[in-house]
Amino acid sequence: MADDHASAEDRLIARHFAPIATHSGALGLSDDAAFIKPPTGCDLVLKTDAIVAGVHFFPDDAAHTVAGKALRVNLSDLAAKGAKPLGFLLSLALPKDIGGKDFGDAWLADFANGLRGDAVLYSCPLFGGDTTVTPGPAMISIAMFGSVPEGTMVRRAGAKPGDLVFVSGSIGDGALGLVLRKGEGAGWKLDTAQRQHLISRYLLPQPRNALAEAVRMHASASMDVSDGLVGDLTKLCRVSQIAADIEAVRVPHSDAAMAVIAQDSAMRETALTGGDDYEILCTVPPAKADNFRAAAKAANVPVTEIGVIAAGEGARFRDRQGTPLTFKRTSFSHF
């Protein structure tokens, strides 16, 4: 029997989100706050990112992929810091409908199912949050917390001349997937698998949390690639007060991305500067490089050396002939 004294919001939380709050400190989402004790000898690592309809996802995207993206973009940042996820808070602001899309109970059920699946997959339970109605657009904000042994969080600062520059996975899939998701790229001759690969990489990132321990043990500096490789490496260089010399031909691209670039050379710049990769970009001292590669292989995460850290300023990309590359825009920016 329904509790007549419970509000509609209380019932919504109990039905959709309480099952995800599996940690005892979440108190079954029955209180105004939650608590967690960091593992002995560890620091807490804190991160928050929001995704907004019309900016980070399309209003008609499946709700479970929206939930997965909201969680995974935060998990990606923890991975780049060498941190293990502990849990998250969720703030959900939804209009009653937008563009004919109904954000009602069916949408929430699918959203919660996606969130629950990833919470289990990444051992990252829900601890609480807030739900509210907004005139639009829809916004999902997650605050995540993780842990690292005291004093070992890997920062953007720390890269030194001579360090090698690595990236995980493949670069550019998310940006090219967004082009397809917007209904563009009609002239690209791709098979179904290639097209689906690019779109899925945009819709549902694959955070490299399996690589977190290798990053923590071996990297001198690290961040995730969310706004574009060129721009994000530039940020790392700025904070570390160094430069990076990158051979563009060594940047790893998927078969699908290479197929696009082969047909439309302008898309190489999109692949290098576009967002939504959620791969790890890190620098590793040469003496640790072999161990880093071995640890990445053991974690089943591909990593590629793409250049070297040097004295100077900024990220310097060169083509196969050694000619410096220039870009119209180095990264995605909200402002």
Side-chain angles (χ1 to χ4, degrees):
M1 180 179 295
D3 182 356
D4 292 335
H5 299 288
S7 69
E9 183 179 14
D10 290 336
R11 292 192 293 271
L12 179 154
I13 291 169
R15 181 166 62 253
H16 296 301
F17 298 111
I20 311 172
T22 55
H23 191 283
S24 60
L27 303 172
L29 305 187
S30 63
D31 212 307
D32 297 316
F35 65 90
I36 187 171
K37 182 177 181 179
T40 302
C42 287
D43 293 328
L44 282 177
V45 179
L46 310 177
K47 172 63 188 177
T48 184
D49 258 331
I51 64 172
V52 179
V55 179
H56 304 95
F57 67 95
F58 291 78
D60 61 345
D61 285 345
H64 63 273
T65 65
V66 175
K69 186 167 192 175
L71 195 66
R72 293 181 185 203
V73 300
N74 286 277
L75 284 162
S76 180
D77 279 300
L78 286 193
K81 301 297 101 183
K84 177 183 178 181
L86 295 176
F88 68 98
L89 302 172
L90 168 69
S91 291
L92 195 59
L94 296 177
K96 292 183 178 179
D97 67 81
I98 182 169
K101 178 71 177 183
D102 180 14
F103 288 97
D105 195 70
W107 191 94
L108 282 169
D110 189 35
F111 179 89
N113 283 336
L115 200 65
R116 184 183 302 112
D118 271 4
V120 172
L121 179 63
Y122 293 102
S123 299
C124 188
L126 175 66
F127 274 73
D130 187 39
T131 55
T132 187
V133 173
T134 176
M139 183 180 77
I140 298 98
S141 179
I142 283 181
M144 185 166 286
F145 35 99
S147 67
V148 294
E150 289 181 2
T152 64
M153 188 188 86
V154 186
R155 300 183 297 162
R156 291 184 186 180
K160 304 294 183 186
D163 287 354
L164 305 178
V165 182
F166 284 87
V167 290
S168 66
S170 57
I171 297 298
D173 289 341
L176 297 178
L178 174 58
V179 174
L180 291 173
R181 182 63 183 83
K182 289 163 66 176
E184 301 170 5
W188 298 348
K189 295 177 181 175
L190 302 173
D191 61 33
T192 301
Q194 290 171 328
R195 189 173 294 271
Q196 182 58 39
H197 170 81
L198 294 176
I199 292 175
S200 66
R201 286 273 288 170
Y202 166 73
L203 291 175
L204 196 60
Q206 302 297 317
R208 302 301 187 176
N209 295 84
L211 194 62
E213 181 71 5
V215 169
R216 188 179 67 79
M217 295 295 294
H218 304 294
S220 54
S222 180
M223 64 184 294
D224 80 333
V225 182
S226 56
D227 292 330
L229 176 62
V230 176
D232 284 336
L233 180 54
T234 299
K235 295 173 188 175
L236 188 150
C237 289
R238 184 183 305 121
V239 177
S240 288
Q241 298 182 317
I242 44 76
D245 289 317
I246 306 299
E247 299 177 55
V249 70
R250 299 177 68 180
V251 175
H253 300 298
S254 68
D255 290 343
M258 288 301 294
V260 172
I261 293 168
Q263 299 170 56
D264 185 351
S265 60
M267 287 298 103
R268 182 180 294 277
E269 179 166 335
T270 299
L272 292 173
T273 63
D276 291 298
D277 281 322
Y278 300 102
E279 296 288 358
I280 291 179
L281 164 67
C282 65
T283 61
V284 179
K288 293 185 175 184
D290 285 345
N291 286 338
F292 176 70
R293 292 187 186 96
K297 184 177 181 180
N300 199 31
V301 178
V303 295
T304 304
E305 179 189 335
I306 61 171
V308 64
I309 297 299
E313 295 181 356
R316 305 181 294 226
F317 283 70
R318 298 181 185 274
D319 66 14
R320 193 184 299 272
Q321 288 73 40
T323 303
L325 298 177
T326 58
F327 304 99
K328 295 176 183 176
R329 187 182 71 171
T330 59
S331 68
F332 173 81
S333 176
H334 290 281
F335 303 101

